[in-house]
Amino acid sequence: MIKENKKSEIAFKIIKYVVMIALFIIVLFPLLWLLINSFKTEKEIIGFPPTIIGTKYTLKSFVRIFSNIPFAAYIKNTVIFAGGTTVIAVIFDSMAGYAFARLKFKGKNALFMFVLLTMMVPFQVMMIPLFLESNYLGLLNTYPGLILPKATTAFGIFMMRSYFSALPKDLEEAARVDGLNEMGIFWKIMFPLVKPGVMTLAIFHLMTNWNDLLYPLMMTSSTRMRTLAAGLALFVGEHATTYYGPQLAGALISVTPLLVLYIFFQKYFIASVATSGIKD
Amino acid sequence: MKKLESIKRYLNKPSRIAYVFLAPSLIVLLVFAIIPLIASLIISVMNMNIFFTDTSFAGISNFIQAFQDGRFWNALLNTVVFVVFEVPLQIVIGLLVANALTKTTVFNKVARSIFFLPVICSMAAIGIVWSILLDGNIGLVPYLLEKIGIPNATFFRDVKTAMPTVIAMTVWKNFGYTMSILVVGIQGISTSYYEAAQIDGANKIEQFFNITLPQLKDTLGFCLITNTIGSLQVFDQVYVTTQGGPQYKTETLVQYIYKTGFSQPYNLGYASALSVLLLVVILLISFSMYRNMFMKTD
């Protein structure tokens, strides 16, 4: 019995490693292929038969993506939109989460239900009125117009609430006795204590907004205001069977910042996914 | 200056400062979520286009139009097909990989990091990569397939293979996401269960079915519901690769809503009606799933 189990365990191990290595190739190959082909000449990308490694490497595709479309503006827009949204949303979510977790006030349950309600409504349902509203307020094609509607999320409030709830009781009482005011208690004592939550939430906001497509597509009609995802998608739509090199170079540039951050903050990337469950 | 000080002093009480902390978030949610949601319901019973010519009350005519619209039913069917195949595939693959990689060894950690890479990349970038890799004329994959005796692989270009290709690409991108959630779930299962099973002589497969699966029930249910809701809103992958084609075979509900509202015919009333129908579908499905999974009294 035990011997048989040993045997089957070894068999499992072998199967596991074979399958995992196959999966490595399936997952990594397209990403490495993107890296290599961004540096190939257009001729070699469309040449027959297709090559894996290629013979000549050049930066031409990168030069072309910057000259064919306002790619530098896309980068700047994405940094401002995703970065600005992240900073503001983390602060707003934390403040609201703190209030729900640690403060006693009238109407708390009703307001919390109100927040949860917005979590259940998918973005696509309010997309058209949101567009009209932004148009009416003159927010289309502006940075505030891109950032404000995303400046808080029910999920973020919910998440920060649970982080603040987990802090030891009486923490703020001691600070109050010491004469610290309410704002000071939040900023100087409570906020620094939930740093892991703040990091996780920041990565969550950064990743969703950096990669978002439908929302910036809708909110920006001017070419110069597009984000990387929206701008690339439209570029592909216009040049589906040409400009392969620039498409790939653009894609490579657009994924690189998050991949670099992932190397340093992997823990928070995984946590942001494992706690969110909201796929965008 | 003095007035500001006195306001500050007045607010310096937990029961009052709470509203100051809540105000930014609540205003944003009210203005950019609740009002648009209500407006969506209103616009759905209006005749309205993006240029505001001929705005009038339409009653339920937009909804009647939807039920008689072949393209709506087609988009709904495509969306359902996407959900029915993509969600289970993503969860099963995510589960099997998570189960194999639960232990914290160097190999497993590296593997988990690698499988998470596509999750971080935007669908726009991933769509570009796969479109060119699978291209019928210049793509590496059709070329390699031809070499091993499978010629004319069409992928995104054929009515029969376009949707399966979109599904496969999505699973490729997202299984690492489900895997990450399930690894945490499996690591949370007490090791004493497995120790007891080992003493009883249960092998790995028996342990998987008798311990891991039942213990993971809630996490799996959570993945199923959130993945289903997310997949019902499928848009990005189609927009970047097939634009809904060929012959509308990959056009999804959100894609159709977007096209109806933001390109010809710029019909916002009808697009809103379609988005209300999407909301109804999502609420019905998530509610029934939720009830089946978490409210069973057994």
Side-chain angles (χ1 to χ4, degrees):
Chain A
M1 190 74 176
I2 286 170
K3 237 187 184 170
E4 241 172 60
N5 267 352
K6 271 261 160 70
K7 253 191 202 164
S8 73
E9 229 151 77
I10 292 167
F12 268 118
K13 277 242 160 90
I14 294 171
I15 294 171
K16 175 189 153 179
Y17 285 111
V18 170
V19 172
M20 286 305 140
I21 286 162
L23 260 184
F24 276 162
I25 297 170
I26 294 171
V27 169
L28 273 183
F29 179 75
L31 299 175
L32 293 174
W33 178 89
L34 168 66
L35 181 68
I36 294 168
N37 279 264
S38 300
F39 292 97
K40 278 191 195 168
T41 60
E42 186 80 15
K43 218 171 157 191
E44 214 160 9
I45 297 171
I46 59 172
F48 192 89
T51 56
I52 293 177
I53 296 295
T55 53
K56 250 169 87 187
Y57 295 106
T58 159
L59 291 173
K60 266 209 180 111
S61 297
F62 293 93
V63 175
R64 284 174 73 204
I65 188 77
F66 279 96
S67 57
N68 284 327
I69 51 175
F71 199 72
Y74 295 177
I75 295 174
K76 185 182 128 204
N77 297 339
T78 311
V79 169
I80 294 175
F81 163 57
T85 306
T86 300
V87 171
I88 297 175
V90 164
I91 293 172
F92 285 7
D93 289 350
S94 301
M95 281 165 53
Y98 171 73
F100 282 125
R102 313 287 300 199
L103 301 174
K104 276 195 192 121
F105 57 94
K106 265 189 212 147
K108 187 168 170 174
N109 287 335
L111 287 174
F112 194 60
M113 288 305 288
F114 168 86
V115 170
L116 286 186
L117 174 77
T118 65
M119 190 144 85
M120 282 185 278
V121 184
F123 166 74
Q124 284 80 356
V125 177
M126 39 206 191
M127 148 174 109
I128 285 156
L130 185 60
F131 171 81
L132 292 176
E133 198 178 333
S134 298
N135 183 33
Y136 179 76
L137 297 171
L139 289 172
L140 288 183
N141 291 314
T142 66
Y143 293 126
L146 274 171
I147 293 171
L148 274 178
K150 298 268 170 181
T152 195
T153 56
F155 160 71
I157 296 173
F158 197 68
M159 190 186 130
M160 290 318 293
R161 174 178 166 265
S162 63
Y163 271 95
F164 280 115
S165 296
L167 294 179
K169 272 184 184 173
D170 310 327
L171 211 56
E172 52 272 69
E173 277 315 313
R176 266 173 210 136
V177 172
D178 286 349
L180 208 57
N181 66 26
E182 293 296 326
M183 274 292 170
I185 292 170
F186 174 72
W187 285 113
K188 290 193 189 124
I189 304 207
M190 306 304 269
F191 192 69
L193 285 174
V194 290
K195 205 181 136 230
V198 169
M199 286 297 294
T200 306
L201 186 61
I203 295 289
F204 169 80
H205 281 303
L206 188 68
M207 193 159 76
T208 31
N209 290 305
W210 188 279
N211 290 337
D212 204 357
L213 177 59
L214 183 54
Y215 174 75
L217 211 50
M218 186 185 85
M219 299 299 249
T220 57
S221 53
S222 134
T223 358
R224 294 210 63 87
M225 281 304 292
R226 300 236 156 86
T227 60
L228 282 168
L232 278 174
L234 286 164
F235 182 63
V236 174
E238 284 158 28
H239 306 282
T241 55
T242 49
Y243 295 98
Y244 289 113
Q247 285 183 33
L248 292 169
L252 181 65
I253 293 174
S254 78
V255 298
T256 302
L258 288 184
L259 290 178
V260 170
L261 278 181
Y262 177 66
I263 295 170
F264 295 103
F265 301 107
Q266 194 187 343
K267 193 173 92 184
Y268 299 113
F269 272 89
I270 307 245
S272 80
V273 157
T275 46
S276 83
I278 297 166
K279 188 170 64 175
D280 252 316
Chain B
M1 212 49 200
K2 263 205 176 139
K3 212 170 185 189
L4 197 71
E5 276 306 308
S6 72
I7 291 173
K8 264 191 181 166
R9 214 171 311 127
Y10 172 78
L11 286 172
N12 195 24
K13 243 184 161 189
S15 61
R16 291 181 189 141
I17 198 84
Y19 300 107
V20 177
F21 281 124
L22 284 172
S25 285
L26 293 183
I27 291 169
V28 168
L29 289 177
L30 180 72
V31 174
F32 297 109
I34 298 293
I35 291 176
L37 173 65
I38 296 165
S40 191
L41 299 174
I42 296 169
I43 297 170
S44 71
V45 293
M46 303 278 285
N47 293 314
M48 185 192 281
N49 61 40
I50 213 164
F51 316 105
F52 300 111
T53 51
D54 310 317
T55 305
S56 63
F57 183 66
I60 57 165
S61 71
N62 283 328
F63 292 95
I64 292 171
Q65 188 188 339
F67 290 121
Q68 294 167 344
D69 179 359
R71 210 168 145 189
F72 163 71
W73 290 109
N74 171 65
L76 181 62
L77 179 70
N78 289 339
T79 307
V80 169
V81 167
F82 179 85
V83 172
V84 165
F85 287 97
E86 201 280 329
V87 173
L89 274 172
Q90 185 180 326
I91 291 181
V92 169
I93 294 174
L95 175 63
L96 293 177
V97 175
N99 191 55
L101 300 177
T102 304
K103 273 197 200 134
T104 313
T105 63
V106 174
F107 178 86
N108 289 355
K109 271 176 132 178
V110 171
R112 291 196 310 242
S113 309
I114 288 174
F115 296 155
F116 196 76
L117 286 175
V119 180
I120 303 164
C121 301
S122 71
M123 204 42 114
I126 295 302
I128 289 173
V129 169
W130 281 106
S131 292
I132 300 176
L133 260 179
L134 301 179
D135 186 272
N137 297 322
I138 64 154
L140 181 65
V141 175
Y143 170 75
L144 292 177
L145 285 176
E146 196 168 342
K147 276 208 145 176
I148 59 165
I150 310 168
N152 301 323
T154 48
F155 296 109
F156 290 118
R157 297 248 178 108
D158 185 81
V159 285
K160 284 206 189 96
T161 52
M163 185 52 102
T165 307
V166 170
I167 291 170
M169 183 181 82
T170 310
V171 172
W172 177 86
K173 184 183 181 314
N174 287 340
F175 81 91
Y177 168 89
T178 303
M179 173 204 75
S180 301
I181 298 176
L182 294 177
V183 164
V184 177
I186 296 173
Q187 283 172 342
I189 301 172
S190 164
T191 49
S192 60
Y193 289 112
Y194 295 104
E195 281 155 15
Q198 249 160 9
I199 292 166
D200 290 345
N203 66 29
K204 282 270 152 95
I205 296 181
E206 288 162 342
Q207 288 179 26
F208 176 75
F209 280 104
N210 295 323
I211 302 169
T212 312
L213 264 193
Q215 291 289 321
L216 266 187
K217 214 183 93 199
D218 283 356
T219 315
L220 284 169
F222 172 79
C223 287
L224 186 63
I225 292 180
T226 53
N227 283 359
T228 303
I229 294 174
S231 295
L232 282 167
Q233 301 166 40
V234 50
F235 173 82
D236 297 13
Q237 45 273 70
V238 179
Y239 187 85
V240 187
T241 56
T242 64
Q243 296 268 332
Q247 292 170 38
Y248 304 111
K249 272 293 170 199
T250 57
E251 185 167 78
T252 62
L253 269 180
V254 173
Q255 172 99 9
Y256 185 36
I257 294 170
Y258 183 77
K259 274 191 192 163
T260 307
F262 296 108
S263 60
Q264 275 300 338
Y266 295 106
N267 189 339
L268 296 182
Y270 188 46
S272 281
L274 293 175
S275 64
V276 169
L277 289 173
L278 173 70
L279 176 67
V280 171
V281 171
I282 288 176
L283 288 182
L284 278 178
I285 290 178
S286 45
F287 182 70
S288 68
M289 277 184 161
Y290 190 79
R291 221 175 53 169
N292 277 323
M293 262 173 297
F294 295 112
M295 292 186 183
K296 249 185 197 159
T297 44
D298 51 2

